[in-house]
Amino acid sequence: TVAPAQTLTDREYQLLRDAAIRVMREIGVDTGGSNVQFAIDPKNGRVVIIEMNPRVSRSSALASKATGYPIAKIAAKLALGFTLDELRNPVTGRTTALFEPALDYVVVKIPRWPFDKFASGDRVIGTQMKATGEVMAIDRTFEAALQKAVRSLEFGKKTVLWEDPAWERTDDLKSYPLMPPNDLRLWGIMAALRRGVTCERIHDYTKIDLWFLDKLQNIVDMEKTLLAEELTPDLLRRAKRLGFGDGSIGTLADRLPEQVRERQIKLGLPLFEVQKPPITPAP
């Protein structure tokens, strides 16, 4: 899951937003946390409702963390009789709860599938719930949030650099676990990109949106740059911007993680901390 939605037009976004409100009113939810999941066909715009949860679910806690909007707390006060325009958003301190949260960062949520512990299990991902948990990461770019989330999955030392030794050095897409969808699909796509398979070919094969494939290509391009060029301050900054950890940079640039970290500190990185303006409490 990626938030905010990266591949929807504003018209599609507003259509789904209005549809979610109509669904909640039809179900009869007067107050409380609810979520509606949609699928939209990019070819003809057909919208399908996957499910609707008229309750606070596990996703609600993650949504609160992702947006900074305290869903459960606000819902409880609404149940007591308050209205949205009467409640302050405790995160901003200035706006009311009536305002929808707006993100200037990217959030990536990845399921945690337990196939490393249940090796004989069916790895095909479908409508059946197979994940035993999930991780969420926040960063300034999709690439950085994705890499941070992958490192949080606790698959040993498995970063996006990981490849199965059994995978062949070929551009044949059937050699990688891409179809049907499975828990190793992300790493299969990365391996295919490293072998020169184009984003267009992978899109035709998997139907994954080109926006995501282009972002994965950015990570692969940076891997190749780190392998081929000297680790200059500018290159280190660009690698950090894309979310490369010290261990990954060290592996690619032939350095120890401690050396990468020392150089990072010497350069004053991370450089992308946002200087938040002081918040003036509302009268």
Side-chain angles (χ1 to χ4, degrees), residues 216-236:
L216 297 181
Q217 183 68 61
N218 290 341
I219 296 176
V220 172
D221 291 343
M222 177 54 68
E223 291 176 7
K224 296 178 179 179
T225 302
L226 289 169
L227 282 169
E229 299 182 9
E230 178 64 26
L231 188 61
T232 62
D234 179 65
L235 180 57
L236 180 57

Side-chain angles (χ1 to χ4, degrees), residues 12 15-16 39-48:
E12 291 170 336
L15 172 67
L16 300 183
I40 182 168
D41 190 332
K43 294 181 179 179
N44 54 30
R46 178 173 178 252
V47 176
V48 176

